[in-house]
Amino acid sequence: MKTKYFNINSWASVFTLGIMAVMLLFTSCEEESDYSGPISISTVYLQDAEASVPDREVTFVRLGQLIRISGTGFTDLKKVYINGYESYFNPTLVSDNSMIVSVSKNTPIIEADADVRNTIRLVNDGNEAVLSFDVRSAAPSITSFSNSLPNVGELITVYGSGLLEVTNVVFPGDVEVTEGITSNEEGEYFTVNMPEGVSDEGGSIFIECANGGAYSPACFNFKAGVILDFDGLGAQGAWGSAASMIFSDDLESTTVGTDNISQGIYVPHRPSRITAFDAASTRCTEVWTAGNDVDDWRGQLTPYISTTTSLDEVGFQFDIYVPEEWEGSGYLKICLVNGFSGGEWAGYCYNYVPWVVDGESVAFQATGWTTVTVPFSSFYAFDDGEDHTFEEVLVARETSSYKNFGFYFENSDFALSDITGSDSDSETEFLSAETSISVYTDNWRVVSLNTPTYSDFPEDEE
């Protein structure tokens, strides 16, 4: 067998030729890129498989949405910029006249430079196309009110997200307000004065802002749901001679509060005859509706709230006034029925402890009357993660021996786990102390928390 010998110079020649071939290949690609054709953008479509129109021509887009851009010259596309922000796209979803791109949630809106705000820019080697196009934040939403049952003329704050440049507020009864609206720059809230003529049957408010439209939960001005206001709506019940029982003589009517003031008679949960509550004490005071043969939740409420309504969408609201800082001790027990001994963190009740925030004691104060909302799904008997309905709340009351609804003021020790339901929080304790805190409530009511769906394209939706 002959031995084969290789010429080093020959190998060097082959290597050189290979390098030259690679260089020629890159040069060829670069030359080809240099001659990428012009780009044009004609139309933008919203891609939403769940919508009635899954491929819809649009004039604006929101953060997080998927769009299809139609035009020409997309084959050699290198970059896509939305509001100046480079947006990822999958090259396999690009043809010469169509491409798919997701609008990143990190895309700047009000922070975008003025010269790139509301633009879509496509770039290849040597060419680009820019389309003026409305780019909006995520759809606005309304979560709560500073007071959902205000006096006419009072300033209210509406909380949520994306509430930028609110221009129009429509209250229940089609009462429209377009002036005197002040929006927070971050879109977290806006303020508006309560107009005259709002329907006493209440419902949702509707707003229009720079980000589009939104409905609130249907709990605004729902006077039809008031079960006790101490001024004629509903009836208070009181009996016996226990010092804990709050009687009509204990109620107060002096006008109190800033911005949102009191509405006639209200209940002090520490009447003036009681100087202070002892530490480690339960059922310090109690105040009730009349209960048996008087309260009629089914008759009063079911014309407005269906018995099949999920308990996430129906709840109890009340207005609270706390003129001094409340921290470290005491809470309100909201009792769906009358039958608690005191100190419970289970059953048909809910303990309202506003001064515990993120596991820590934080001073709470409400110098103007402020609305508190507790979904019935938060009452301990219904917070097991199962799907409960309003019918179960009605049945729980109707089958109770004592059908009074009411509040205890309690001043007992408790652990963070009582609030969170997590065993890991059991070592964090809040030990009670003697307290003379003044807490007042009024306008007890059951409300719908359902939020109507708003579509950017109502003309095409059922």
Side-chain angles (χ1 to χ4, degrees), residues 31 200 215 235 369:
E31 289 176 353
D200 285 349
Y215 288 99
W369 287 83

Side-chain angles (χ1 to χ4, degrees), residues 186-205:
E186 285 73 36
E188 296 173 346
Y189 63 85
F190 68 89
T191 61
V192 65
N193 291 93
M194 174 68 168
E196 296 181 345
V198 177
S199 169
D200 285 349
E201 291 190 358
S204 299
I205 69 167

Side-chain angles (χ1 to χ4, degrees), residues 274-314:
I274 299 177
T275 303
F277 297 127
D278 292 335
S281 58
T282 61
R283 200 171 181 174
C284 302
T285 61
E286 54 189 299
V287 56
W288 300 99
T289 63
N292 295 33
D293 302 320
V294 178
D295 295 359
D296 180 16
W297 282 29
R298 188 177 293 273
Q300 177 183 352
L301 300 170
T302 55
Y304 308 98
I305 304 172
S306 168
T307 58
T308 60
T309 303
S310 170
L311 290 191
D312 288 330
E313 296 184 345
V314 58

